[in-house]
């Protein structure tokens, strides 16, 4: 038995990753890391914002999205490979300060593997389908149809470069994706023509990479947070 276990350890060290086709489809419920699901390896992707991420909302009016056309899992390795491909192309052809890219999905879903032995005499040690619930093997992001995977905000003269960068990132993913040029201003939810109109009226308040739209009648931001803040702004408290 000791001889068999020794050969098993040598085989286990050499074993590579399973291909992504084994984990591509979103079957069943999400399986996140928790106190019950322990020993989960860290995600390969650790950076979700690259480029000039602190640029003001007014500097990058154009926005381009990479959108999933399938309901599937995207492994953290694929997300990292796509992020690197997109980032390198944008730095080379646009400049390192000419864009801000954001990864819009996070790999929270834990992938499992039921390790089988593939050495001499392994048939004595294997259990087949008995106790087949596997051990954590990696993590993936579950994406839906028409969900945004990557977003890039940049200047108008860099839109073609951003589209090509996202097209190259597509090749790192299974399934089908499409590149879409947004009609919104940067990462905000305000259409571009409306943004310029409100900006001229002084009804846009920039807040880092996003912007708040003022009330056109009163010219004030609706107070957020606890109820006491709202009552104080409305003059209902002393």
């Amino acid at each position: 038995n000791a001889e068999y276990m020794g050969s098993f350890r040598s085989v286990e060290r050499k074993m590579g990753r399973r291909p992504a086709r084994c984990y591509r489809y979103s079957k069943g419920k999400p399986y996140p890391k928790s106190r019950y699901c322990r020993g989960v390896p860290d995600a390969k992707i650790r950076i979700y914002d690259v480029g000039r991420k602190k640029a003001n909302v007014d500097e990058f009016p154009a926005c381009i999205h990479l959108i999933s056309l399938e309901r599937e899992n995207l492994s953290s390795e694929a997300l990292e490979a796509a992020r690197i491909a997109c980032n390198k192309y944008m730095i080379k052809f646009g400049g390192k300060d000419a864009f801000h890219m954001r990864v819009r999905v996070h790999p929270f879903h834990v992938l499992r593997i039921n390790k089988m032995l593939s050495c001499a005499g392994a048939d004595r040690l294997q259990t087949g389908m008995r106790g087949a619930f596997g051990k954590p093997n990696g993590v993936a992001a579950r994406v839906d149809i028409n969900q945004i995977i990557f977003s890039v905000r940049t200047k108008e003269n860099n839109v073609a470069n951003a589209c090509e960068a996202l097209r190259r990132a597509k090749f790192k993913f299974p399934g089908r994706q499409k590149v879409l040029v947004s009609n919104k201003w940067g990462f905000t939810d305000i259409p571009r023509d409306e943004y310029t109109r409100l900006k001229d009226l002084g009804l846009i308040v920039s807040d880092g990479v996003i912007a708040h739209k003022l009330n056109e009648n009163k010219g004030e931001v609706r107070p957020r947070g606890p109820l006491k803040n709202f009552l104080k702004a409305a003059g209902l408290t002393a």
Side-chain angles (χ1 to χ4, degrees):
N1 282 346
E3 183 185 343
Y4 293 143
M5 290 306 293
S7 60
F8 160 59
R9 288 193 194 98
S10 65
V11 169
E12 189 179 31
R13 277 197 297 272
K14 293 176 189 173
M15 205 161 68
R17 276 186 67 235
R18 274 187 184 172
R21 63 174 174 267
C22 302
Y23 299 106
R24 175 178 165 184
Y25 298 107
S26 287
K27 297 179 290 186
K29 300 175 184 177
Y31 186 57
K33 181 179 177 180
S34 69
R35 56 182 172 165
Y36 310 108
C37 173
R38 299 181 296 275
V40 178
D42 288 336
K44 199 77 173 174
I45 183 167
R46 309 294 289 179
I47 300 168
Y48 292 86
D49 281 88
V50 293
R52 195 146 155 257
K53 51 195 175 189
K54 291 190 178 179
N56 191 274
V57 65
D58 292 326
E59 295 187 51
F60 295 142
C63 183
I64 302 92
H65 301 301
L66 180 64
I67 294 173
S68 173
L69 293 177
E70 294 190 23
R71 183 171 178 267
E72 61 183 352
N73 293 330
L74 300 179
S75 70
S76 63
E77 289 86 357
L79 288 169
E80 175 69 355
R83 181 192 69 82
I84 289 170
C86 184
N87 187 38
K88 278 188 176 176
Y89 188 90
M90 285 302 293
I91 288 174
K92 184 174 180 180
F93 293 97
K96 65 183 177 67
D97 292 329
F99 72 100
H100 172 203
M101 187 186 92
R102 178 171 283 175
V103 180
R104 302 283 297 274
V105 294
H106 287 246
F108 292 129
H109 180 66
V110 177
L111 306 174
R112 299 188 299 267
I113 184 171
N114 181 27
K115 281 188 179 173
M116 306 289 271
L117 307 184
S118 57
C119 56
D123 51 329
R124 297 190 185 187
L125 300 169
Q126 279 180 351
T127 56
M129 287 303 291
R130 184 189 305 161
F133 194 90
K135 299 281 189 293
N137 184 44
V139 285
R142 289 161 66 97
V143 297
D144 221 327
I145 295 170
N146 289 336
Q147 184 174 345
I148 298 172
I149 303 171
F150 288 171
S151 292
V152 178
R153 65 185 181 115
T154 184
K155 294 183 177 174
E156 291 291 346
N157 60 351
N158 255 336
V159 169
N161 288 333
C163 288
E164 176 61 16
L166 291 175
R167 189 190 71 85
R168 291 178 178 222
K170 277 176 19 176
F171 297 123
K172 309 298 181 184
F173 295 130
R176 296 170 299 133
Q177 296 82 30
K178 65 179 174 185
V179 177
L180 188 78
V181 179
S182 174
N183 65 348
K184 303 289 171 61
W185 184 285
F187 287 167
T188 69
D189 59 351
I190 307 168
R192 251 186 268 184
D193 51 354
E194 187 183 350
Y195 186 95
T196 51
R197 182 182 68 82
L198 293 172
K199 189 76 177 173
D200 293 339
L201 294 173
L203 296 175
I204 291 287
V205 176
S206 65
D207 184 14
V209 300
I210 60 169
H212 298 293
K213 187 163 60 169
L214 298 179
N215 189 320
E216 290 197 47
N217 299 324
K218 299 179 182 177
E220 59 188 22
V221 180
R222 186 171 65 83
R224 298 170 180 271
L227 180 62
K228 62 182 181 182
N229 291 1
F230 182 83
L231 296 175
K232 187 175 179 182
L236 298 176
T237 56

